[in-house]
């Protein structure tokens, strides 16, 4: 891996920001160079939210991702429409097919369809749809092991929420299985 | 021979620059005496304003901090928050406190800052040459109200003590005068009380003191004392507006 | 592992606490809100004080009062709020009080926007307040640098008895990167014998003041200040050079823009075009002397900014008329792309051949 540049986008409340922070955290644990850059402002209050995550073997230059995203994880339709064009050729587009019926338009990229909300609901908690998406992305790129993401999760959750770790782990694994 | 009158330790040995008949000198002395009598001169930090009393930092015999116009209560807040054991006071005129510094005084009171404010109201901008203040009386002439203050264009004179007394954090609010001996005695009592409120950690205290400005009022010192009594006191009634209840 | 993943605004707050700052006075404004929020959460835990002032004007005057006691104090804001603080900054400089002021800047003029911008270069380096005064301006490009410079800013402020500005933009404030809080190197700092903490009746009163009605006295004071500023220019200027060997075009950029510029430079290198970067880390003092080291292969300079062109004035001063000076900028919260910078460089490079 040289440099992974990932755009994550969705509705506010879909856990897009925390998914990005988790991957950033895991990258840091793996001694990689990382940055996390959120969109901010009024759109944070319930509209679309997105963040740019860079995980690299060399120091991160610009934390902004423009037309050179290596991957995009889109949780809703507006995000697909907005960010498909930001992928570079051969980039990976992970689409939440539970909420997005539309298919990827570009032929020079690789699209993957993950029914994240359905899987999350099967697991009994719709909030882990983001983890399902992240699991699929990790399987596709292997930039950090799922175990490291779990380690990061344990630190982010703190002692009071350790009981949520198994659920999140299962969600990551189910997402990974979708694209195996 | 017994000493019957002496310079207070609270004032530096420096001659005031104030005009003849101005009552700033009396008020300075009262503050100095109170600081000395309460034994807090060594802990006192005063904040001087912009206005006639801009040089107050040279007159008080304690650490002094010169503030920007109107900002003394904010500066005092900064000092007191670092030094909760310090005895912090601001000395401000009516242009400083009632015009440019309204936000700072209201919110220092609102936060219940444990500071003491000495507010000298002489119904005019003195240092800049007699312009209209928010406290200038209706009909009173000023260099920016040459035909006399008109309520239609400039509103009614602002009563700061009444306004501040509506704020919970302002636990001691009193208006006094220094145009006669009885008034001077009451003023000193009020200043002392305001500092005691601070020392007890009860909240914000302010003493509004009606004062004269013969130079900019364009009358003699003696006439100005009479003018204060006949014109200012009817509009700015003397008395206590708030005081911490005894025994609390 | 000593690194922690933090948001820029919080990292700057944590750095201030590391530097011994226990008193913070602020007022909400986007995109720096996480900084006062962090301080309101953390300072009470160490017997510190957080005050949410009624305005930026009040906040900077609280800083003025608190700094007078000798405490390490900080305030933060964003562009229009920093404009309001200029009154206090001038007083702080005039009365020679140390403090650290953080500007997480946004687009202007006026209320402007809330997205990243570098349109406060003039405000920061030329002084928005009145009078003959200067203050150091640090412009970090990464969160680690923001942490290191914030910690150092407190020492510098104390050492020179002068306000110091840490200038980031919304990107620095909002992004997350791993940071490490290293023990700062110890500086010999002068005793603070000038503070207003009460005389305890065993010394003469101290007076903190910026008023001097006697013009001769004021001039003397200004000459003294100027001497201090000259020392800062001599000793505290800082910059980074990047890929300057054989550079045919030299770019000048600071803060987050410099990171985008580095991406463009690397990509141009792959295409066989040699481009270098001078990155001012202190905006005032500006690294004028660094321009003497520009190799003679260089045909032109390009100032890249998130503004309509402000630092370019300093680039021109530093250049002393030797090379053509070009400009590329985006404004209002729009961020330059590496591609657009590359295109501009190629345009200059083609024309300069």
């Amino acid at each position: 891996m040289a440099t992974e540049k990932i755009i994550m986008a969705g509705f506010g409340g879909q856990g897009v920001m925390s998914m990005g922070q988790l991957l950033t955290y895991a990258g840091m644990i793996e001694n990689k160079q990382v940055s996390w850059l959120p969109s901010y402002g009024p759109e944070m209050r319930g509209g679309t939210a997105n963040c740019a995550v860079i995980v690299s073997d060399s120091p991160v230059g610009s934390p902004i991702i423009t037309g050179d995203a290596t991957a995009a994880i889109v949780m809703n339709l507006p995000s697909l429409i907005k960010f498909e064009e930001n992928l570079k050729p051969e980039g990976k587009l992970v689409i939440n097919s539970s909420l997005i019926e539309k298919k990827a338009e570009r032929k020079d990229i690789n699209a993957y369809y993950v029914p994240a909300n359905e899987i999350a609901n099967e697991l009994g908690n719709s909030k882990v749809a983001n983890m399902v998406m992240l699991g699929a992305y990790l399987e596709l790129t292997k930039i950090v092991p799922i175990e490291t993401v779990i380690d990061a999760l344990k630190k982010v959750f703190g002692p009071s929420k350790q009981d949520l770790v198994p659920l999140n782990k299962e969600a990551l694994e189910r997402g990974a299985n979708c694209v195996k | 021979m017994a000493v019957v009158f002496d310079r207070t330790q609270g004032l530096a040995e420096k001659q005031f620059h104030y005009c003849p008949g101005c009552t700033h000198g009396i008020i300075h002395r009262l503050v100095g005496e109170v600081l000395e009598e309460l034994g807090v001169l060594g802990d006192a930090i005063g904040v001087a304003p912009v206005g006639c009393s801009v040089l107050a930092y040279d007159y008080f015999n304690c650490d002094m901090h010169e503030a920007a116009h109107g900002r003394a209560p904010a500066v005092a807040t900064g000092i007191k928050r670092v030094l909760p054991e310090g005895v912090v006071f601001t000395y401000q005129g009516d242009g400083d406190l009632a015009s440019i510094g309204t936000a700072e005084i209201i919110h220092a009171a609102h936060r219940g800052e444990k500071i003491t404010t000495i507010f000298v109201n002489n119904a005019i901008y003195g240092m800049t040459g007699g312009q209209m203040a928010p406290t200038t009386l209706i009909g009173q002439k000023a260099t920016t109200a040459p035909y006399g203050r008109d309520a239609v264009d400039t509103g009614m004179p602002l009563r700061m003590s009444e306004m501040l007394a509506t704020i919970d954090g302002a636990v001691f609010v009193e208006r006094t005068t220094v145009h006669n001996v009885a008034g001077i005695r009451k003023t000193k009592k009020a200043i002392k009380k305001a500092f005691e409120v601070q020392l007890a950690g009860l909240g914000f205290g302010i003493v509004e003191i009606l004062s004269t400005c013969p130079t900019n009022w364009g009358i003699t010192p003696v006439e100005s004392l009479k003018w204060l009594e006949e014109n200012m006191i009817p509009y700015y009634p003397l008395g206590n507006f708030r005081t911490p209840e005894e025994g609390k | 592992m000593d690194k922690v993943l933090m948001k820029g605004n919080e990292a700057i707050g944590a750095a201030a606490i590391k530097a011994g700052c226990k008193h913070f006075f602020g007022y909400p404004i986007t995109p720096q809100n996480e900084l006062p929020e962090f301080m309101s959460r953390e300072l009470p835990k160490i017997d510190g004080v957080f005050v949410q002032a009624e305005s930026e004007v009040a906040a900077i005057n609280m800083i003025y009062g608190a700094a007078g006691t000798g405490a390490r104090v900080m305030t933060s804001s964003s562009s229009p709020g920093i404009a309001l603080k200029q009154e206090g900054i001038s007083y702080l400089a005039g009365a020679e009080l140390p403090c650290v002021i953080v500007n997480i800047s946004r687009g202007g003029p006026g209320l402007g926007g809330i997205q990243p911008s570098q349109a406060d270069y003039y405000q920061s380096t030329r002084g928005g307040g009145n009078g003959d005064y200067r203050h150091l301006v640090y412009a970090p490009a990464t969160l680690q640098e923001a942490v290191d410079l914030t910690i150092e800013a407190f020492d510098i402020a104390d050492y020179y008895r002068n306000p110091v500005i840490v200038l980031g933009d919304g990107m620095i404030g909002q992004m997350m990167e791993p940071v490490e809080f290293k023990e700062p190197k110890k500086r010999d700092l002068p005793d603070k014998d000038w503070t207003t903490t009460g005389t305890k009746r065993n010394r003469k009163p101290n007076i903190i003041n910026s008023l001097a009605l006697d013009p001769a006295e004021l001039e003397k004071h200004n000459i003294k200040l100027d001497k201090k500023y000259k020392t800062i220019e001599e000793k505290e200027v800082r910059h980074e050079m990047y890929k300057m060997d054989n550079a045919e075009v030299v770019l000048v950029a600071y803060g987050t823009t410099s990171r985008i510029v580095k991406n463009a430079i690397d990509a141009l290198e792959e295409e066989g075009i040699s481009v270098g970067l001078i990155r001012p880390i202190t905006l005032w003092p500006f690294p004028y002397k660094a321009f003497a080291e520009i190799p003679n292969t260089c045909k032109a300079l390009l100032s890249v900014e998130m503004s309509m062109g402000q630092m370019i004035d300093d680039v021109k001063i530093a250049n002393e008329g030797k090379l053509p000076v070009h400009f590329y900028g985006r404004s209002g919260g729009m961020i330059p792309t590496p591609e657009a910078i590359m295109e501009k460089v190629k345009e200059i490079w083609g024309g300069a051949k």
Side-chain angles (χ1 to χ4, degrees):
Chain A
M1 180 195 67
T3 298
E4 274 288 307
K5 298 185 174 186
I6 313 109
I7 293 170
M8 301 180 179
F11 291 125
Q14 281 186 309
V16 165
M17 297 300 186
S18 50
M19 166 168 57
Q21 289 181 4
L22 207 56
L23 178 61
T24 313
Y25 204 138
M28 183 180 79
I29 294 174
E30 290 288 327
N31 275 322
K32 298 193 183 294
Q33 307 287 327
V34 294
S35 71
W36 173 88
L37 180 70
S39 59
Y40 62 91
E43 75 237 48
M44 295 286 288
R45 315 276 182 260
T48 60
N50 69 78
C51 62
V53 175
I54 298 179
V55 182
S56 178
D57 289 325
S58 47
V60 177
S62 167
I64 305 161
I65 303 172
T66 46
D68 58 347
T70 57
I73 301 174
V74 292
M75 301 281 287
N76 66 356
L77 181 61
S79 301
L80 171 64
I81 293 166
K82 189 171 178 190
F83 292 111
E84 185 175 357
E85 64 178 34
N86 290 79
L87 283 164
K88 66 181 198 183
E90 300 304 312
K92 296 178 177 66
L93 180 57
V94 188
I95 298 168
N96 178 9
S97 59
S98 299
L99 299 182
I100 308 170
E101 286 176 18
K102 192 176 177 293
K103 303 290 171 200
E105 284 185 359
R106 282 172 63 179
K107 300 295 170 219
D108 63 339
I109 56 164
N110 302 305
Y112 305 88
Y113 298 90
V114 178
N117 287 69
E118 282 163 57
I119 293 172
N121 287 338
E122 278 171 38
L123 295 172
N125 189 336
S126 63
K127 282 185 180 170
V128 294
N130 60 345
M131 290 297 113
V132 176
M133 296 295 280
L134 183 60
Y137 168 77
L138 291 174
E139 176 63 26
L140 293 169
T141 59
K142 313 269 187 202
I143 58 166
V144 290
I146 282 188
E147 290 69 36
T148 310
V149 174
I150 298 292
D151 283 348
L153 199 61
K154 284 176 184 165
K155 283 185 181 137
V156 173
F157 275 167
S160 64
K161 292 185 187 164
Q162 292 298 317
D163 52 324
L164 290 172
V165 171
L167 171 68
N168 281 272
K169 185 163 188 266
E170 207 179 342
L172 286 163
E173 283 162 358
R174 289 285 302 272
N177 287 337
C178 282
V179 293
K180 260 180 187 164
Chain B
M1 192 162 51
V3 176
V4 292
F5 189 80
D6 198 9
R7 173 186 289 276
T8 167
Q9 290 285 308
L11 292 179
E13 291 193 24
K14 191 141 190 171
Q15 197 176 332
F16 292 147
H17 70 283
Y18 298 112
C19 303
C22 168
T23 43
H24 265 305
I26 296 171
I27 300 165
H28 278 25
R29 180 178 172 94
L30 296 179
V31 173
E33 284 176 358
V34 167
L35 291 174
E36 185 186 357
E37 288 165 20
L38 291 173
V40 297
L41 256 184
D43 301 313
I45 301 120
V47 183
V50 170
C52 280
S53 48
V54 65
L55 297 175
Y57 56 75
D58 275 338
Y59 302 144
F60 290 106
N61 188 23
C62 61
D63 279 356
M64 292 295 293
H65 195 134
E66 166 56 29
H69 201 19
R71 317 294 178 226
V75 174
T77 298
I79 298 169
K80 185 73 181 189
R81 291 299 184 114
V82 179
L83 302 170
E85 304 302 319
V87 179
V88 182
F89 68 97
T90 73
Y91 189 104
Q92 304 175 256
D94 45 324
D96 193 88
L97 182 142
S99 187
I100 195 168
T102 40
E104 284 77 11
I105 194 67
I106 295 273
H107 285 277
H110 160 234
R111 289 187 303 268
E113 293 296 341
K114 290 150 194 72
I115 61 173
T116 303
T117 290
I118 309 300
F119 169 35
V120 179
N121 178 2
N122 59 9
I124 201 119
Y125 279 79
M127 186 178 72
T128 46
Q131 294 81 10
M132 188 189 75
T135 44
T136 296
L137 296 177
I138 297 300
Q140 185 185 343
K141 284 186 178 170
T143 57
T144 50
Y147 311 108
R149 183 173 186 174
D150 175 2
V152 174
D153 288 334
T154 62
M156 292 297 286
L158 204 52
R159 294 186 180 104
M160 288 306 295
S161 287
E162 285 83 342
M163 188 158 80
L164 287 164
T166 65
I167 297 170
D168 285 347
V171 295
F172 183 82
V173 182
E174 187 158 322
R175 185 185 287 124
T176 65
T177 176
V178 286
H179 81 285
N180 59 24
V181 175
I184 291 169
R185 290 209 172 116
K186 277 189 183 162
T187 298
K188 184 172 172 183
K189 264 192 186 162
I191 291 172
K192 198 170 216 170
K193 180 79 184 172
F195 275 103
E196 283 167 350
V197 161
Q198 177 181 175
L199 291 169
L202 299 177
F204 175 78
I206 180 169
V207 185
E208 174 178 351
I209 304 161
L210 301 183
S211 181
T212 60
C213 183
T215 300
N216 287 300
W217 291 355
I219 49 182
T220 67
V222 176
E223 285 166 349
S224 70
L225 297 174
K226 197 162 171 247
W227 192 88
L228 187 160
E229 180 165 345
E230 288 173 0
N231 297 281
M232 288 184 76
I233 292 176
Y235 190 83
Y236 296 114
L238 305 177
N240 182 275
F241 296 92
R242 285 201 72 185
T243 189
E245 286 160 28
E246 297 299 327
K248 244 194 177 175
Chain C
M1 191 169 56
D2 296 313
K3 284 192 173 172
V4 281
L5 187 64
M6 285 184 95
K7 232 182 184 196
N9 283 329
E10 299 197 340
I12 291 170
I17 291 173
K18 177 89 185 168
C21 169
K22 288 174 76 177
H23 299 86
F24 183 95
F25 304 85
Y27 185 81
I29 182 170
T30 307
Q32 60 85 54
N33 291 318
E34 295 83 357
L35 179 40
E37 284 166 3
F38 178 84
M39 295 310 246
S40 72
R41 188 169 73 235
E42 297 301 322
L43 285 176
K45 296 180 189 170
I46 55 165
D47 286 329
V49 171
F50 166 85
V51 178
Q52 180 167 324
E54 62 271 28
S55 68
E56 287 90 346
V57 177
I60 194 70
N61 280 287
M62 290 175 188
I63 288 287
Y64 181 49
T69 68
R72 288 197 154 181
V73 291
M74 182 162 95
T75 186
S76 67
S77 191
S78 181
S79 310
I82 296 290
L84 284 170
K85 288 186 195 290
Q86 295 302 330
E87 169 189 278
I89 295 172
S90 171
Y91 278 70
L92 283 150
E96 294 193 85
L97 295 187
C99 70
V100 176
I101 300 150
V102 179
N103 181 4
I104 301 297
S105 65
R106 53 190 251 182
L111 202 45
I114 58 169
Q115 298 303 321
S117 167
Q118 296 181 320
D120 293 353
Y121 186 90
Y122 286 152
Q123 185 197 52
S124 303
T125 61
R126 267 49 181 177
N130 61 300
D132 271 332
Y133 77 95
R134 291 289 197 174
H135 52 65
L136 207 122
V137 184
Y138 284 125
T142 65
L143 295 201
Q144 186 61 56
E145 200 171 53
V147 163
D148 295 343
L149 292 175
T150 300
I151 292 173
E152 184 152 14
F154 281 94
D155 271 359
I156 292 286
D158 275 349
Y159 187 80
Y160 292 102
R161 281 187 65 182
N162 209 64
V164 175
I165 296 230
V166 176
L167 176 66
D169 57 41
M171 229 184 306
I172 286 282
Q174 295 296 321
M175 72 184 290
M176 286 178 107
E177 280 185 317
V179 290
E180 204 180 337
F181 295 88
K182 293 165 253 182
E183 277 308 315
K185 56 171 187 272
K186 287 269 171 280
R187 225 177 236 264
D188 281 333
L189 297 174
D191 284 342
K192 292 182 174 178
D193 55 3
W194 41 267
T195 57
T196 48
T197 50
T199 63
K200 309 297 166 206
R201 306 301 304 268
N202 58 19
R203 63 160 167 79
K204 281 189 173 164
N206 283 333
I207 297 170
I208 286 167
N209 183 27
S210 66
L211 177 72
L213 291 172
D214 173 5
E217 189 195 326
L218 183 53
E219 187 189 45
K220 209 172 124 195
H221 180 60
N222 284 334
I223 289 169
K224 180 189 155 205
L225 290 180
D226 189 59
K227 212 174 143 193
K228 175 167 86 178
Y229 301 147
K230 293 261 163 39
T231 310
I232 296 174
E233 283 180 320
E234 194 62 39
K235 295 195 168 161
E236 305 301 337
V237 65
R238 221 179 280 183
H239 69 278
E240 180 200 355
M241 297 283 216
Y242 186 73
K243 299 195 174 171
M244 289 290 281
D245 291 347
N246 305 315
E248 291 175 73
V249 179
V250 167
L251 276 54
V252 188
Y254 69 95
T256 49
T257 305
S258 71
R259 297 174 65 152
I260 303 165
V261 164
K262 281 184 181 176
N263 281 23
I265 290 173
D266 293 350
L268 285 163
E269 191 178 32
E270 281 177 26
E271 294 182 22
I273 304 172
S274 294
V275 180
L277 167 70
I278 296 176
R279 176 173 76 93
I281 298 170
T282 52
L283 302 186
W284 191 89
F286 189 81
Y288 294 115
K289 286 178 185 165
F291 286 70
E293 295 165 41
I294 291 172
N296 53 21
T297 47
C298 179
K299 307 283 193 302
L301 302 178
L302 171 63
S303 186
V304 185
E305 307 173 42
M306 285 196 285
S307 76
M308 294 311 294
Q310 298 189 13
M311 179 179 66
I312 190 171
D313 288 6
D314 277 327
V315 174
K316 284 178 178 170
I317 292 170
N319 180 50
E320 293 175 336
K322 288 172 194 156
L323 293 165
V325 178
H326 300 266
F327 176 75
Y328 180 76
R330 295 298 300 272
S331 165
M334 295 301 289
I335 296 165
T337 62
E339 294 76 23
I341 296 166
M342 289 166 71
E343 203 173 308
K344 181 74 185 179
V345 170
K346 284 178 191 169
E347 181 193 313
I348 297 165
W349 183 70
K353 275 207 153 175

